Amino acid sequence: MNPLQATVNGCPTDLGEIRAHTNALDWLRDQGLTGCKEGCAEGECGACAILVARPTADGGTQWTSVNACLVPAASLDGQEVVTAEGLGTPDALHPVQEEMAQRGGSQCGYCTPGFVCSMAAEFYRKERCDGAGHPAGGNPAGGHPAVRQNGNHAQGRHTPAERDGRAVTDHEHGPNGFDLHALSGNLCRCTGYRPIRDAAYALGAPAEDDVLAARRDQPAPTPAATRVSRADGEFVRPADLPEALGILADHPDAVLVAGSTDWGVEVNILGRRAPLTLGIDRLEELRTFSVSDDVIELGAALSLSEIETRLAGRVPLLDQLFPQFASRLIRNGATIGGNLGTGSPIGDTPPVLLALEASVVLASSGGEREVPLSDYFTGYRQSVRRPGELVRTIRIPLPLSGVSAFHKIAKRRFDDISSVAVGFAIQVEGGVVTRARIGLGGVAATPVRALATEAALEGRAWTAESVREAATVMRGEGTPMDDHRASSTYRSAMLGTALLKLHAENATPQEVGA
Amino acid sequence: MSALSERPANPVVGETVPHESAALHVTGRALYTDDLVARTRDLLHGYPVQAPHAHARVTRLDTAPALAVPGVVRVLTAEDVPGVNDAGIKHDEPLFPSEVMYFGHAVCWVLGETLEAARLGALAVEVDYEPLPSVVTVREAIEAGSFQGAQPTMERGDVEAGLARAEHVFSGEFEFAGQEHFYLETHASIAQVDENGQVFVQSSTQHPTETQDIVAHVLGLHAHEVTVQCLRMGGGFGGKEMQPHGYAAVAALGATLTGRPVRVRLNRTQDITMTGKRHGFHATWRVGFDAEGRLQALDATLTSDGGWSLDLSEPVLARALCHIDNAYWIPDVRVNGRISKTNKTSQTAFRGFGGPQGMLVLEDILGRCAPLLGIDPADLRRRNFYTEGQATPYGQPVRHPDRAVAAWDQVVQTGDVDSRRREIAAFNAAHQHTKRALAITPVKFGISFNLTAFNQAGALVHVYKDGSVLINHGGTEMGQGLHTKMLQVAATTLGVPLHFVRLAPTRTDKVPNTSATAASSGADLNGGAVKNACEQIRERLAQVAGGRLGVPPADVRFEGGRVRGLAHDTDEIRWADLVTQAYFQRVQLWAAGFYRTEGLHWDSTVFRGEPFKYFAYGVAAAEVEVDGFTGAYRTRRVDIVHDVGDSLSPLVDLGQIEGGFVQGAGWLTLEDLRWDESDRPTRGRLATQAASTYKLPSFSEMPEEFNVALLEKAHEEGAVYGSKAVGEPPLMLAFSVREALRQAAAAFGPPGTSVDLASPATPEAVFWAVEQARARAAEHGHVAEGFPGMVPPQPNGDVPRYHPRSERPPAEQHALSAEV
């Protein structure tokens, strides 16, 4: 077997003596690329952000920002990586670096290379550059025009992005189409962010001779089958799904890794050293995407960002979820199958997928079965998924209900973990609730459906009075706990107000088919 | 205009320039201490064994199993310490403790060939503990009488008489949380020993001299045998003023014992569970107002949560007391302070250094009492501003109180405050479930170390034969732009373009006996020293130039790299030519500069004096919107006018103001230190010990509209080139956000509602404030009304005497003896 090799800043680089648990951050730093910083080692601060070349649906390449601390170094085999050092030099700064440096975007400078990489990913995002369509992330909070007149810094000297023919300039989108959510996974303790935002909003389009921009029109590197075997553990990336299922049948305890956003935390923070780690992130069989008249199928190894792009607004409830799900850096790695596979009670997709009445297709070497998500979770981080099984796809039935919302209760609006999460999908016809599906997270050992509340709503008029009664029922759902995120009383109170808030914002809902 | 503050024509100070390392930052080239690992051969990695108890005695420590782990080289324990087993200067911080004082306390350190080997070695060390009773909260400490250090009282006038004559007397209680520094770069040190036994420590430290002192006393060496260098820090915020020393000492001890370079870098979990934080405080208070809402008297007792050792808690408390007045005149004052001893990390310096805590107590009082007085909170605050001729409770005349007024007026005007308040009232009337509010709050912050002795600094400036300039000073760079300002000061004083000057990293063998880069004083002190060194060189060069140009040396002018006589028709000499000429005339082309702040005095025993050179002022207006269903909120707009004197470097100062504001808002609204207060075995454990659970402000907390202006006509006579310190004061502008949240929550109740607001004001806390406003509208939170009210606890006669920062003993060093 050839030595493991990645292309880093354009140079083929042997991965050398990495171990199964070596993360990309540590490996890059060992190569002397110390611009990549460890701030938290759990994907929360973005100081280790790098760019990787990832495939787009149309066969091109997207420069995608990810947290290097969460990525197994072994998974870089055959991949292309760019770090802050590779974007520019002090004598020849990249446009992103130039704006950041000139506008006071760095103070201590420690978070800066990571910001630069996240910003560069958005700089190169084709939809931004083309000034077209759906800005990734959307803007659930609604538009509030607020462009700071910042002294001598020119405003709007670049072509603004447009949505529906109008310039998108709200407090989360720049006049150049820059989506601030691209930086939601990067923390800065010094600047207060304003100069970083101004740097981002001042960016133009990549120059004609920009090598990384040109790279986008070529295919992304194909995933390499990879194996790293050391005394303290093995990392295997199989060539296809049958091989993966075969290995899983022989080693049911293997740790499955797709986006590795959980793997990184367990390895870095909890010191987990699994004997066998199975990388399934690039398996084409797990990266399917289809929409038919009655079902949407989402491959389990699609990242949340990929789903967001490909759905392009088809599922409004998911569109509300995406910008609130962790950060762009995480969504670029984290997969929808992984979020269900870990079975966490505070994952953000389950409440939404429960409300959408999604089901899960589980595959093993023995075949496949489909399980409604409402039957999937069995206990704290437990599910009906058997040893030897993995999640292959998620199915969302169509049509969708007319009123939908995702309420996330957390301390911080960007990139936080829910203390309570609620997914609503409610159909109102002739002023009467004909169908109510409500998924809850954070209020029990598993994500749950609010069945009593659903029953209290269905068949009743969609009025303030009946909603108030149902809200009382909802307040009693689940078994909320006290922890550092929230008190149980607050969690119950939030269950009690969620429906009231939904009704206040949708008192006269659009009735599908009406 | 003083000689210190006067600027020459066309000065480089005052120009808007990027951070001196900006190009290195953005390209990932800037080196931080731990980046040296990849450049250091044969390095060993240190890893701590952290105790899983809040308080326990170590009854057995067996390191043998660790040594059996492949790659483990050595385990460092108390027996290895040749000098003093103490990481601090007060003999209460054993570096290798026999008694565990907080959950996560490191009892020994493992050295390994790799970090993984050291980690596995640490897991293998066997330790037996005998758990002891623990004190975790400040309330528990008050109840148990668990205090440490001295208990000062700041008193002026007759507080009982003041309260008795007041029209309104209120009393209450307030407890608020501390804050984790969360500098993005965790603590890091790399130590090595040269062929002569000289110890060289690279450390991420705000106080290289004290790091040097502690390393020396742990190793039993003299200061001249230890050199500490700080390349730059990835943030400090006070968290690297006292805290780095022990980790540097562990690395240095390892290096001396193994002969190999040793790296000690804390990962985030270790950093957050082992190092000190901003002090949380508890306060009980009585306050009196006259019929017009003018403050008459304040009686308060502040108890800080000091954690397990004294650290900087005494000077932090002193600054809290000295700032409880904020910008307000209070005739009769009695404020007692005490420091609780709890089984937590050793709480320490954090941007503002107690000032924010003291000020928060009074701002909270004003926010809660304004509705009870029936006075708009903004009017109540403005009405109580200091005026010329008044003095602080500790006796310092308040100079330039008009600047607070000017800043206030400018914020009101440029922030459109009056019309926006009308819009907000209309919005609130039209929206049942969403309320907005705008609050405006001032800051007055004293600049200088309370301890007079610390107000000195040194610099070393070299001019090389080719005219290039290299400067070195005692201050450290942590992102605050100190080095940028020092380059500008040097270029201004020497009259050369900025690019003629370079700056070398901070080292204790270049400039000795430095003070911490702290108290916002870095530019004031080091700028004075750099200027002084440059002036010495310039004066010597003026002699040479005078001879060449045929003018008196006093008439020689240096500007833009050219030297000429005062009259414009004289010849010009290029700077580099003059320097070369001076060299051949055997003129000394380098100088050591020194600066000490004049006119300070402070008597800690009676808590009186003039400890501050000047006050920095600022005013902020913040508008928020609160969702009544959840308590979630957004900061819609913030307007700030802040006083930085004549700015040395406007982009740097703007960054300090904005960054300080957002960091302050983080402390007051979002950042949530949750310690396990239960009786479970994890009692005392910090539950929010990661970025995933301890949330810093992110882009979502940035004000949607953020306008910052520097106060004009703000020249400061007493500081270098007329500037003012800027590091800390803006943090307290964030009180405006907290008070706006309180007012928005109150807007869910009837007019005149007073609500209590927990700190941090998380969405949950705001939700409960909203609920309080809705449900208990007729009542007044938890504020009691009437004289004498709830009298704060008073110290008994035998409390320990106060030892402020000015009186702390120097680190223990064995003095050089004349006998050999």
Side-chain angles (χ1 to χ4, degrees):
Chain A
M1 191 185 269
N2 290 329
L4 273 51
Q5 205 175 63
T7 301
V8 181
N9 297 330
C11 302
T13 311
D14 284 352
L15 283 157
E17 293 300 304
I18 56 165
R19 291 161 186 264
H21 58 78
T22 304
N23 67 41
L25 166 64
D26 288 344
W27 177 72
L28 287 167
R29 289 181 63 81
D30 278 346
Q31 307 310 301
L33 293 168
T34 52
C36 208
K37 306 294 188 195
E38 181 181 308
C40 71
E42 56 169 355
E44 290 280 341
C45 77
C48 64
I50 56 173
L51 299 169
V52 293
R54 287 279 165 82
T56 58
D58 62 4
T61 292
Q62 178 161 9
W63 287 110
T64 306
S65 55
V66 297
N67 289 300
C69 74
L70 299 179
V71 177
S75 75
L76 297 182
D77 183 27
Q79 303 296 304
E80 291 174 36
V81 174
V82 173
T83 69
E85 291 96 330
L87 286 171
T89 65
D91 296 330
L93 295 176
H94 184 274
V96 163
Q97 294 170 328
E98 177 74 28
E99 293 294 348
M100 282 286 282
Q102 288 303 318
R103 291 172 184 273
S106 74
Q107 285 186 23
C108 84
Y110 198 83
C111 70
T112 312
F115 264 105
V116 163
C117 287
S118 288
M119 200 180 286
E122 180 67 4
F123 173 73
Y124 287 118
R125 185 169 62 87
K126 275 199 163 174
E127 294 79 3
R128 180 194 80 82
C129 303
D130 299 345
H134 185 77
N139 180 28
H144 292 268
V147 176
R148 180 180 186 275
Q149 295 304 318
N150 180 36
N152 53 2
H153 294 154
Q155 293 288 332
R157 63 190 162 90
H158 303 279
T159 316
E162 293 191 344
R163 179 166 57 181
D164 307 328
R166 286 173 292 117
V168 177
T169 309
D170 55 40
H171 63 264
E172 287 165 5
H173 296 88
N176 58 351
F178 194 100
D179 178 4
L180 212 50
H181 285 268
L183 307 177
S184 62
N186 293 83
L187 293 176
C188 169
R189 192 54 154 162
C190 296
T191 62
Y193 299 100
R194 195 275 312 158
I196 299 175
R197 179 191 65 184
D198 285 0
Y201 286 4
L203 292 167
E208 293 283 316
D209 60 349
D210 187 314
V211 178
L212 294 178
R215 176 68 187 83
R216 297 176 301 177
D217 299 328
Q218 305 301 316
T222 49
T226 301
R227 180 180 293 266
V228 170
S229 297
R230 304 275 181 245
D232 56 358
E234 195 172 16
F235 177 93
V236 177
R237 185 160 63 199
D240 54 25
L241 184 61
E243 187 191 344
L245 294 176
I247 296 172
L248 200 54
D250 295 340
H251 304 277
D253 292 338
V255 172
L256 289 168
V257 173
S260 68
T261 52
D262 252 19
W263 174 89
V265 177
E266 296 196 339
V267 166
N268 299 340
I269 306 293
L270 304 177
R272 184 169 180 184
R273 300 289 181 264
L276 175 61
T277 303
L278 198 56
I280 55 170
D281 51 326
R282 316 306 301 161
L283 297 182
E284 284 309 318
E285 299 94 326
L286 302 184
R287 293 175 47 76
T288 56
F289 176 86
S290 70
V291 180
S292 66
D293 286 347
D294 54 0
V295 69
I296 294 174
E297 282 210 14
L298 304 171
L302 289 173
S303 73
L304 286 144
S305 291
E306 286 174 316
I307 294 171
E308 179 179 16
T309 306
R310 294 192 195 188
L311 279 177
R314 276 195 195 89
V315 184
L317 182 51
L318 282 173
D319 245 23
Q320 285 199 34
L321 163 70
F322 291 127
Q324 298 187 69
F325 185 105
S327 65
R328 175 78 64 84
L329 282 167
I330 295 294
R331 293 196 295 278
N332 285 346
T335 62
I336 191 163
N339 204 234
L340 299 178
T342 58
S344 165
I346 49 174
D348 276 344
T349 64
V352 165
L353 293 174
L354 283 169
L356 293 172
E357 293 185 274
S359 61
V360 174
V361 176
L362 298 168
S364 68
S365 56
E368 289 193 352
R369 60 185 178 128
E370 182 169 350
V371 180
L373 191 62
S374 51
D375 296 338
Y376 175 78
F377 300 104
T378 56
Y380 180 73
R381 288 188 176 265
Q382 303 284 314
S383 71
V384 299
R385 186 166 65 91
R386 300 177 190 130
E389 277 186 328
L390 53 72
V391 181
R392 187 175 66 77
T393 61
I394 287 86
R395 290 187 177 147
I396 298 171
L398 297 176
L400 304 168
S401 291
V403 176
S404 65
F406 178 60
H407 291 184
K408 176 166 177 165
I409 306 298
K411 284 179 196 161
R412 195 172 71 192
R413 202 153 53 82
F414 282 8
D415 194 10
D416 198 358
I417 294 168
S418 302
S419 49
V420 175
V422 185
F424 288 109
I426 291 171
Q427 183 70 1
V428 181
E429 289 172 36
V432 173
V433 176
T434 55
R435 189 175 185 78
R437 294 293 178 265
I438 304 172
L440 305 178
V443 295
T446 67
V448 292
R449 282 260 300 273
L451 295 171
T453 312
E454 293 173 3
L457 281 169
E458 284 184 352
R460 304 281 308 274
W462 181 248
T463 61
E465 192 191 350
S466 59
V467 164
R468 229 182 349 262
E469 285 171 27
T472 312
V473 175
M474 190 156 156
R475 177 181 274 268
E477 297 272 8
T479 50
M481 286 181 6
D482 285 310
D483 67 12
H484 54 266
R485 291 198 178 88
S487 67
S488 57
T489 21
Y490 181 62
R491 285 188 163 103
S492 292
M494 291 304 95
L495 289 176
T497 60
L499 206 46
L500 302 176
K501 183 176 168 69
L502 180 77
H503 184 263
E505 291 167 359
N506 296 275
T508 50
Q510 176 99 35
E511 296 189 4
V512 174
Chain B
M1 212 170 275
S2 68
L4 180 65
S5 71
E6 189 183 357
R7 294 184 177 189
N10 302 316
V12 179
V13 293
E15 281 182 14
T16 292
V17 298
H19 192 284
E20 46 86 27
S21 288
L24 300 179
H25 292 157
V26 297
T27 54
R29 262 76 167 180
L31 286 180
Y32 302 78
T33 300
D34 202 54
D35 295 338
L36 302 170
V37 167
R39 299 164 173 237
T40 309
R41 286 173 63 90
D42 299 327
L43 183 83
L44 294 174
H45 304 256
Y47 204 95
V49 175
Q50 292 185 260
H53 297 282
H55 191 198
R57 214 181 329 274
V58 176
T59 54
R60 185 179 72 95
L61 178 68
D62 185 0
T63 60
L67 296 170
V69 173
V72 169
V73 171
R74 183 155 185 153
V75 183
L76 303 176
T77 67
E79 283 77 59
D80 293 316
V81 177
V84 182
N85 179 17
D86 198 89
I89 55 172
K90 293 180 182 291
H91 288 280
D92 65 347
E93 284 185 71
L95 185 57
F96 299 94
S98 55
E99 183 180 341
V100 171
M101 294 299 288
Y102 65 100
F103 200 102
H105 203 163
V107 296
C108 66
W109 291 76
V110 178
L111 303 182
E113 298 283 354
T114 62
L115 189 61
E116 180 78 349
R119 184 182 72 85
L120 295 172
L123 285 174
V125 171
E126 293 177 9
V127 192
D128 292 342
Y129 300 97
E130 178 195 339
L132 298 170
S134 60
V135 174
V136 171
T137 70
V138 67
R139 284 177 193 274
E140 288 170 2
I142 291 171
E143 209 160 289
S146 174
F147 300 110
Q148 56 187 332
Q151 300 187 8
T153 297
M154 177 177 76
E155 196 160 12
R156 173 173 64 193
D158 182 341
V159 79
E160 292 296 340
L163 290 168
R165 75 168 177 270
E167 180 83 11
H168 304 277
V169 173
F170 304 105
S171 46
E173 199 180 358
F174 182 34
E175 187 178 352
F176 51 94
Q179 184 179 24
E180 161 62 24
H181 302 84
F182 218 108
Y183 25 65
L184 264 288
E185 179 213 24
T186 53
H187 278 279
S189 286
I190 295 177
Q192 43 204 320
V193 184
D194 75 6
E195 82 288 352
N196 201 21
Q198 179 79 17
V199 178
F200 181 53
V201 183
Q202 309 231 44
S203 173
S204 182
T205 174
Q206 287 176 245
H207 200 345
T209 285
E210 199 165 72
T211 303
Q212 175 193 26
D213 291 345
I214 301 290
V215 168
H217 90 198
V218 169
L219 297 182
L221 300 174
H222 298 296
H224 69 178
E225 294 168 284
V226 177
T227 299
V228 174
Q229 170 168 293
C230 177
L231 291 174
R232 58 166 62 76
M233 282 168 277
F237 315 115
K240 294 172 180 171
E241 184 174 350
M242 273 295 288
Q243 306 288 305
H245 312 328
Y247 309 113
V250 169
L253 179 63
T256 57
L257 292 175
T258 63
R260 293 173 62 178
V262 172
R263 162 215 195 195
V264 169
R265 173 198 177 260
L266 304 186
N267 64 33
R268 180 59 62 185
T269 316
Q270 291 159 353
D271 194 292
I272 203 167
T273 56
M274 290 164 71
T275 68
K277 315 187 186 311
R278 184 189 295 285
H279 296 71
F281 271 62
H282 174 274
T284 47
W285 52 267
R286 291 189 296 164
V287 67
F289 297 92
D290 71 8
E292 280 76 47
R294 280 188 292 265
L295 285 158
Q296 296 302 302
L298 174 68
D299 185 15
T301 293
L302 311 186
T303 311
S304 75
D305 186 349
W308 74 281
S309 77
L310 205 45
D311 204 289
L312 291 166
S313 293
E314 286 181 326
V316 165
L317 181 65
R319 188 165 276 269
L321 265 54
C322 285
H323 283 79
I324 197 166
D325 58 327
N326 192 7
Y328 311 113
W329 163 247
I330 316 170
D332 295 296
V333 179
R334 178 177 64 197
V335 185
N336 301 299
R338 53 191 183 173
I339 301 158
S340 67
K341 187 179 176 99
T342 53
N343 294 107
K344 283 180 179 152
T345 53
S346 177
Q347 311 324 10
T348 190
F350 194 143
R351 203 174 198 170
F353 204 76
Q357 290 96 318
M359 288 156 67
L360 179 56
V361 171
L362 188 58
E363 292 297 345
D364 182 73
I365 290 172
L366 295 178
R368 287 159 80 177
C369 292
L372 309 182
L373 293 164
I375 299 175
D376 179 90
D379 292 342
L380 181 65
R381 290 191 164 89
R382 176 63 189 82
R383 191 170 296 186
N384 279 290
F385 272 22
Y386 277 110
T387 55
E388 196 69 46
Q390 292 173 333
T392 64
Y394 48 90
Q396 173 148 9
V398 177
R399 197 157 56 89
H400 293 151
D402 51 305
R403 292 196 182 172
V405 176
W408 180 282
D409 290 346
Q410 190 176 334
V411 163
V412 168
Q413 193 203 341
T414 60
D416 256 340
V417 165
D418 294 335
S419 65
R420 281 166 59 215
R421 287 176 56 165
R422 284 193 295 274
E423 286 166 23
I424 287 167
F427 178 91
N428 287 350
H431 292 80
Q432 186 191 349
H433 304 299
T434 312
K435 302 291 180 189
R436 292 178 180 169
L438 185 155
I440 175 166
T441 58
V443 169
K444 166 185 129 290
F445 193 81
I447 300 299
S448 297
F449 289 98
N450 265 66
L451 163 55
T452 302
F454 282 3
N455 297 293
Q456 60 172 313
L460 184 63
V461 175
H462 296 173
V463 177
Y464 292 97
K465 283 180 290 184
D466 63 354
S468 62
V469 183
L470 184 71
I471 68 173
N472 212 292
H473 61 89
T476 54
E477 176 64 38
M478 61 195 98
Q480 83 280 42
L482 175 61
H483 284 356
T484 310
K485 288 181 171 179
M486 295 304 95
L487 290 166
Q488 289 179 272
V489 166
T492 299
T493 313
L494 294 173
V496 297
L498 191 56
H499 70 269
F500 280 27
V501 190
R502 283 183 68 93
L503 191 145
T506 316
R507 286 175 66 115
T508 57
D509 59 356
K510 292 278 181 61
V511 178
N513 308 329
T514 56
S515 297
T517 307
S520 307
S521 66
D524 281 13
L525 298 177
N526 295 291
V530 168
K531 182 167 183 281
N532 172 254
C534 291
E535 281 167 351
Q536 294 174 42
I537 297 167
R538 194 188 63 199
E539 278 162 25
R540 292 178 207 140
L541 289 172
Q543 297 283 342
V544 179
R548 164 85 182 273
L549 296 168
V551 301
D555 287 352
V556 175
R557 291 292 175 271
F558 296 75
E559 189 185 324
R562 298 184 176 275
V563 184
R564 56 174 175 75
L566 191 53
H568 281 277
D569 55 358
T570 67
D571 288 342
E572 264 187 8
I573 316 174
R574 286 176 51 219
W575 161 266
D577 295 340
L578 174 64
V579 166
T580 308
Q581 216 165 58
Y583 169 77
F584 281 105
Q585 292 181 20
R586 296 188 292 174
V587 171
Q588 185 186 350
L589 289 172
W590 77 94
F594 185 72
Y595 175 78
R596 63 176 173 217
T597 316
E598 301 294 344
L600 306 179
H601 64 94
W602 176 242
D603 184 344
S604 62
T605 56
V606 294
F607 226 82
R608 291 192 75 77
E610 296 188 24
F612 305 124
K613 184 69 182 174
Y614 56 84
F615 295 102
Y617 297 96
V619 172
E623 181 184 337
V624 301
E625 179 177 302
V626 169
D627 172 24
F629 291 112
T630 60
Y633 50 81
R634 298 181 310 148
T635 305
R636 289 169 44 81
R637 175 171 169 178
V638 171
D639 293 84
I640 289 172
V641 173
H642 193 76
D643 165 23
V644 299
D646 293 336
S647 176
L648 290 178
S649 198
L651 189 65
V652 166
D653 285 345
L654 180 64
Q656 287 298 295
I657 296 167
E658 292 177 338
F661 174 86
V662 170
Q663 196 171 65
W667 169 47
L668 296 170
T669 66
L670 177 63
E671 299 179 34
D672 208 353
L673 290 168
R674 294 293 186 99
W675 307 83
D676 190 334
E677 298 170 5
S678 74
D679 286 324
R680 291 188 291 265
T682 48
R683 176 175 164 78
R685 178 179 177 272
L686 180 60
T688 48
Q689 53 171 272
S692 53
T693 49
Y694 185 85
K695 307 306 279 189
L696 308 185
S698 75
F699 259 107
S700 54
E701 284 62 48
M702 178 186 65
E704 290 162 19
E705 185 178 350
F706 199 0
N707 303 308
V708 178
L710 306 181
L711 184 70
E712 290 176 2
K713 289 183 268 182
H715 183 83
E716 171 52 48
E717 293 275 313
V720 62
Y721 290 129
S723 65
K724 277 190 180 180
V726 70
E728 296 169 288
L731 181 122
M732 288 146 272
L733 295 166
F735 294 140
S736 56
V737 177
R738 184 178 136 80
E739 292 306 315
L741 288 172
R742 183 202 306 281
Q743 292 171 29
F748 285 91
T753 302
S754 167
V755 297
D756 304 328
L757 184 59
S759 188
T762 58
E764 177 171 355
V766 172
F767 180 75
W768 296 128
V770 169
E771 288 285 276
Q772 189 189 40
R774 283 172 177 152
R776 304 180 53 203
E779 300 173 36
H780 295 322
H782 296 101
V783 176
E785 188 154 7
F787 181 77
M790 301 182 291
V791 181
Q794 298 299 313
N796 54 32
D798 57 355
V799 298
R801 212 173 66 79
Y802 187 51
H803 292 281
R805 200 175 197 172
S806 54
E807 293 176 3
R808 68 182 192 177
E812 176 155 332
Q813 298 160 351
H814 56 281
L816 283 169
S817 157
E819 297 114 54
V820 177

